[in-house]
Amino acid sequence: PDSCPALCQCLEAAKTVKCVNRNLTAVPPDLPSYVRNLFITGNRLARLPADAFPAQRLPELSALNLSGNHLRAVEAGALAALPALRQLDLSGNPLVSLSPQAFGEGGSPLEELALRGALRDQGVLFSLAATLQSGALRNLSRLELADNGLLLLPAGMFTALPALRQLDLSNNSLVGLRNVSFQGLGQLQSLNLSNNSLGVLRNSTLAQFRGLPALRRIGLGRNAWVCDCAIEDLVAWLKESDQVEGKESLTCAVPDKMLGKALLKINSLDLNCSVPVDLPSQLQTSYVFLGIVLALIGAIFLLVLYLNRKGIKKWMHNIRDACRDHMEGYHYRYEINADPRLTNLSSNSDV
């Protein structure tokens, strides 16, 4: 029962099985029951079905590495029969389907999940968010989402991860964190946001960072910081915070006049922000003022009409009489032109 699969290498003393670069198309069904560390990497599994790991066959499996297998689908229940699973690596797989029920209905003991380069498909990202929000992975302490080209994260994606200690979002294309909530991550110690496309961090995000008591390491390097008036809050926070690693090396990317300038050395004179600019409130004030002006103009116009109602009435009567006389002249000419006798009569009278 504990024989080693033909295309795998088994180390019973280390309770480890390695099936690496063997062109496997499915998980070997005859894995030894003693295995705790299983490496099935560099193969062609394509999909991980519900019966990939039969129930009660691998009671001690705690670390499972399935990276680089061309996996496209992880189906419902695929990982539900692994009661001791603590570490899972699905990195480097072109996933297009990740079932929210992949870890079963009752929750998973999983503590570490690596999905580096596996979430290029937008649908998979939302499936992962649904899985995390369902509470199925409440025991996660480490989540790696690097190298996925992510632009934005689904709202509330991390709200059901109370045990999370390390979150890696590096080497993506994140342009903002406005819809990302870090509330509830009371155990979070490390947050890596380096090598993204962040231009600024708003006050709401900075307030969340301040409210995380265990957060000691934040990576913000290699982002495209926009050094205009909106960055003042970020600069002030950097100067007072000891959470950011290597904050001295953070520099401006735009505008050109600020290129390469250290964020910690920026002051209000550099940004020319002596008068706060709040465009939305300015527009709102302008619209209100315009409405008041138009209302006054309308009221004055109606008042003028009321005060001159007699003159306007006389003017209207004069216009009506003039139009009537003009139309009668047209009517008379039409009758003359229509009757030859009247035409001759008119000619003779002219003579």
Side-chain angles (χ1 to χ4, degrees), residues 1-3 30-36 56-61:
D2 287 340
S3 61
D30 52 347
L31 293 167
S33 60
Y34 62 73
V35 62
R36 289 184 183 174
Q56 301 180 348
R57 279 285 295 117
L58 305 173
E60 298 184 38
L61 182 59

Side-chain angles (χ1 to χ4, degrees), residues 19-40:
C19 311
V20 179
N21 298 328
R22 295 293 187 173
N23 287 322
L24 298 176
T25 57
V27 175
D30 52 347
L31 293 167
S33 60
Y34 62 73
V35 62
R36 289 184 183 174
N37 307 301
L38 177 57
F39 295 84
I40 304 179

Side-chain angles (χ1 to χ4, degrees), residues 165-167 188-193 214-220 242-245:
R165 288 182 171 83
Q166 300 177 33
L167 177 58
L188 189 64
Q189 300 173 359
S190 173
L191 174 62
N192 193 349
L193 292 166
L215 186 58
R216 291 292 176 267
R217 297 189 304 276
I218 304 177
L220 295 175
D242 59 354
Q243 296 172 303
V244 181
E245 294 182 321

Side-chain angles (χ1 to χ4, degrees), residues 143-173:
L143 179 59
E144 184 177 348
L145 303 177
D147 300 328
N148 284 303
L150 304 177
L151 290 172
L152 294 171
L153 296 173
M157 184 174 180
F158 308 119
T159 54
L161 300 175
L164 195 65
R165 288 182 171 83
Q166 300 177 33
L167 177 58
D168 188 355
L169 292 167
S170 63
N171 199 27
N172 283 292
S173 300

Side-chain angles (χ1 to χ4, degrees), residues 183-261:
Q183 294 181 356
L185 302 182
Q187 303 298 318
L188 189 64
Q189 300 173 359
S190 173
L191 174 62
N192 193 349
L193 292 166
S194 62
N195 202 16
N196 276 281
S197 300
L198 297 173
V200 68
L201 294 180
R202 304 288 178 179
N203 247 337
S204 56
T205 301
L206 301 178
Q208 291 188 62
F209 290 164
R210 294 188 186 100
L212 297 176
L215 186 58
R216 291 292 176 267
R217 297 189 304 276
I218 304 177
L220 295 175
R222 300 185 301 281
N223 277 284
W225 302 112
V226 179
C227 294
D228 58 14
C229 294
I231 207 170
E232 278 193 314
D233 294 331
L234 173 59
V235 171
W237 173 72
L238 286 174
K239 291 179 179 179
E240 70 179 27
S241 174
D242 59 354
Q243 296 172 303
V244 181
E245 294 182 321
K247 61 182 180 180
E248 297 80 8
S249 63
L250 302 181
T251 58
C252 302
V254 290
D256 291 341
K257 67 176 182 178
M258 300 288 285
L259 180 63
K261 187 176 182 64

Side-chain angles (χ1 to χ4, degrees), residues 240-295:
E240 70 179 27
S241 174
D242 59 354
Q243 296 172 303
V244 181
E245 294 182 321
K247 61 182 180 180
E248 297 80 8
S249 63
L250 302 181
T251 58
C252 302
V254 290
D256 291 341
K257 67 176 182 178
M258 300 288 285
L259 180 63
K261 187 176 182 64
L263 266 60
L264 289 178
K265 295 182 179 180
I266 291 177
N267 55 54
S268 57
L269 296 177
D270 295 325
L271 302 174
N272 193 23
C273 298
S274 55
V275 179
V277 176
D278 188 354
L279 185 58
S281 62
Q282 282 190 347
L283 290 175
Q284 185 177 6
T285 303
S286 299
Y287 291 144
V288 172
F289 180 73
L290 178 61
I292 294 174
V293 170
L294 291 176

Side-chain angles (χ1 to χ4, degrees), residues 50-61 77-85 101-104 107-109:
D51 58 352
F53 300 96
Q56 301 180 348
R57 279 285 295 117
L58 305 173
E60 298 184 38
L61 182 59
L79 302 162
L82 301 173
L85 187 63
Q101 291 81 39
F103 299 92
S108 170

